[in-house]
Amino acid sequence: MALKLKGDIEINDIPTSKAKALKVNLNKYIYGTFAEIGAGQETVRHFFRAGGASGTIAKAMSAYDKDFSNAVYGVEDDGRYVTEDRLKRMLTYEIELTEDRLSRKKHPNKMFFSYANTVTTIDFARKFKGHGWVGIKFQLDPLEDYNEIILHLRFKETDAKLQQETLGILGVNLIYGAYYLNDKPKELLKSLYDNLHKVQLEIDMINFSGPRFSYVDNRLMSLLLVRNGMTNAVMFGPDGNNLLPAQQLYKANILALRGSFRPVTKVNMNMYKLAEEMFINENKVSKKNTKIIFEITLTNLSAEGEIDERDFLDRAELLCSLGQHVMITNYQEYYKLVEYFSEFTKARIGLAMGVYSFVQIFDEKYYRNLSGGILEAFGKLFFKDLKVYLYPLKDQRTGEIKTSENLKVHPRMKELYKFFKYNGKVVDIKDYDPEILEVFSRTVLDMIANGKNGWEEMLPIGIAEIIKDQRLFGYSRRKFEQLK
């Protein structure tokens, strides 16, 4: 279906950047400023060229010179310019300036906004492709407080001019989305790639805030970035706000624990605490510089078909309540996860996993797409300063405890396994609690679904209460009472 705008410009299902800019310009209530640092005034250019910009653009600036930029926005504590803090300072400064200089009595119906970006494009050596922060602070009612959308992007193109053009289109999409798709945040997220392609840029973090987004769970927005193919990994903290992986993992020692956490059990926490203790005691590891990551793969989230957003948020809620940092990735194979971590750090990396998961790594079927097969994968996995902390498995049939000493891999993989074992790349977690080895997330989930008692004892302290209070994972108090 096509819509007609003033000037006989036709908008199809995906409006052009010019059509989007014109629609914003023709809205007599939208009025604000553009502040762009690092890649020229690429976004505001679209609005100037679309026509009717005099009623929309209060000011446009590009503070290229660092001293001038500092004079306007102040000096950051870390002395950097392409940061989230810098972007937020720019947005706030420009809004306050607009509020100070324009009388609300004279403009009672104006919805003010400030759009800003601070980016660095590809360097001359073409070693770093560039990245940046983009955001908008805006009103949807003159009497309401401001809303905010902030995102981080990584350029994929290898030409500075192309990167500038990409940034300009992204900025138009963000401003248009803020005003015309704010009630549909999922569509707004997808629309950021309108008239763009995923080979041009990666969006690896986004946060929504403000009165109109009070119902938006930023963890879900994070998940959608991965599901929509906008990035391969996202991260959020205990407070539920999304974090930039590159910033959190930069030069850090990383210990990752992969699981379904559906729900998080005593086994998960026992594995994490013991692995953390062993990891921190390593010679090359500093506790202060260590990041613990609870990682869930997209494959795990969609194991039963389509991704259940409610189920995902239930898992996230529990992990956040335990004070954990959570990462969602599209890396089914462990070597890809380690490669990703290695983009940001050369420090030691640790993986905590159970025996069953570790044995799966030695299955050649996962590496058929690699020309070097499993040897190439293991070269990438263990080439870096990596160590695996192995949690034991209790054989349900025989009761035998499986560790690195007696686990079984395919006969063809025996010598390969021995190589890593004897070189100290695989170590056992020994001080585990033998009483909880038979606790599995799927057992707990089945007990909750069928109204069976006793599952509470399988979970860390306080987790059962959260599940009951918030009715997570389909918990129903009535179902349990009926079965008593």
Side-chain angles (χ1 to χ4, degrees), residues 251-271:
K251 292 186 177 181
N253 296 119
I254 303 168
L255 176 62
L257 174 67
R258 173 176 287 184
S260 66
F261 311 116
R262 191 178 182 238
V264 59
T265 66
K266 283 185 176 179
V267 169
N268 298 138
M269 297 310 291
N270 192 231
M271 185 191 303

Side-chain angles (χ1 to χ4, degrees), residues 152-154 156 202-205 222 225-226 230-236 243-252 254 256 258 291 293-296 326-347 349 351 377 380-381 384 386:
H152 181 266
L153 66 94
R154 298 169 76 183
K156 292 185 176 182
E202 172 185 347
I203 298 174
D204 55 3
M205 198 215 81
S222 226
L225 286 177
V226 181
M230 298 176 178
T231 188
N232 285 313
V234 291
M235 188 174 176
F236 53 86
L243 302 169
L244 180 63
Q247 188 173 299
Q248 295 295 312
L249 305 178
Y250 183 65
K251 292 186 177 181
I254 303 168
R258 173 176 287 184
K291 290 289 182 182
I293 306 295
F294 279 63
E295 185 239 3
I296 307 174
V326 182
M327 179 171 277
I328 310 298
T329 77
N330 201 23
Y331 301 123
Q332 184 178 2
E333 297 87 356
Y334 274 104
Y335 78 87
K336 291 183 179 179
L337 178 65
V338 172
E339 272 193 311
Y340 175 73
F341 288 154
S342 299
E343 289 182 32
F344 312 116
T345 185
K346 293 181 180 179
I349 298 170
L351 297 176
K380 292 178 177 180
L381 180 62
K384 303 295 180 181
L386 176 93

Side-chain angles (χ1 to χ4, degrees), residues 207-462:
N207 274 319
F208 294 77
S209 60
R212 294 297 178 99
F213 298 128
S214 59
Y215 66 94
V216 174
D217 193 311
N218 282 310
R219 296 170 299 191
L220 180 56
M221 295 298 107
S222 226
L223 169 64
L224 294 177
L225 286 177
V226 181
R227 189 171 74 176
N228 293 343
M230 298 176 178
T231 188
N232 285 313
V234 291
M235 188 174 176
F236 53 86
D239 61 359
N241 276 326
N242 295 330
L243 302 169
L244 180 63
Q247 188 173 299
Q248 295 295 312
L249 305 178
Y250 183 65
K251 292 186 177 181
N253 296 119
I254 303 168
L255 176 62
L257 174 67
R258 173 176 287 184
S260 66
F261 311 116
R262 191 178 182 238
V264 59
T265 66
K266 283 185 176 179
V267 169
N268 298 138
M269 297 310 291
N270 192 231
M271 185 191 303
Y272 143 64
K273 289 176 181 177
L274 294 174
E276 180 188 30
E277 185 178 326
M278 295 172 69
F279 187 64
I280 290 172
N281 286 330
E282 299 282 352
N283 291 330
K284 298 180 180 180
V285 177
S286 161
K287 183 175 182 179
K288 185 179 179 181
N289 192 42
T290 295
K291 290 289 182 182
I292 310 294
I293 306 295
F294 279 63
E295 185 239 3
I296 307 174
T297 66
L298 201 65
T299 303
N300 182 291
L301 288 169
S302 57
E304 297 180 5
E306 284 295 313
I307 292 176
D308 185 333
E309 293 177 358
R310 181 66 261 167
D311 177 75
F312 161 72
L313 290 175
D314 289 351
R315 304 190 213 189
E317 191 65 37
L318 295 183
L319 290 171
C320 288
S321 72
L322 291 168
Q324 301 303 327
H325 288 78
V326 182
M327 179 171 277
I328 310 298
T329 77
N330 201 23
Y331 301 123
Q332 184 178 2
E333 297 87 356
Y334 274 104
Y335 78 87
K336 291 183 179 179
L337 178 65
V338 172
E339 272 193 311
Y340 175 73
F341 288 154
S342 299
E343 289 182 32
F344 312 116
T345 185
K346 293 181 180 179
R348 171 154 288 178
I349 298 170
L351 297 176
M353 68 178 76
V355 167
Y356 178 79
S357 296
F358 183 70
V359 171
Q360 293 293 105
I361 292 178
F362 287 85
D363 192 330
E364 291 180 281
K365 71 181 181 183
Y366 296 115
Y367 314 108
R368 288 169 184 161
N369 62 317
L370 293 176
S371 58
I374 194 170
L375 290 178
E376 180 180 342
F378 273 65
K380 292 178 177 180
L381 180 62
F382 288 104
F383 172 73
K384 303 295 180 181
D385 196 3
L386 176 93
K387 186 170 281 191
V388 172
Y389 301 92
L390 205 58
Y391 196 80
L393 171 71
K394 185 175 182 179
D395 190 304
Q396 296 295 295
R397 186 174 56 85
T398 65
E400 183 184 15
I401 304 298
K402 300 285 188 180
T403 68
S404 69
E405 300 296 336
N406 62 353
L407 63 79
K408 293 181 180 179
V409 298
H410 193 282
R412 288 201 302 271
M413 298 294 113
K414 275 187 178 180
E415 296 306 316
L416 185 62
Y417 167 67
K418 286 180 182 179
F419 174 80
F420 295 117
K421 169 66 177 171
Y422 294 152
N423 281 280
K425 295 291 189 179
V426 183
V427 294
D428 286 310
I429 296 174
K430 294 181 179 179
D431 297 325
Y432 60 89
D433 182 356
E435 300 297 321
I436 62 174
L437 287 183
E438 296 185 52
V439 172
F440 298 97
S441 292
R442 62 178 179 271
T443 303
V444 177
L445 201 64
D446 180 69
M447 293 175 75
I448 293 174
N450 293 294
K452 297 179 181 179
N453 293 313
W455 57 272
E456 295 92 339
E457 289 73 26
M458 301 179 183
L459 308 181
I461 295 173

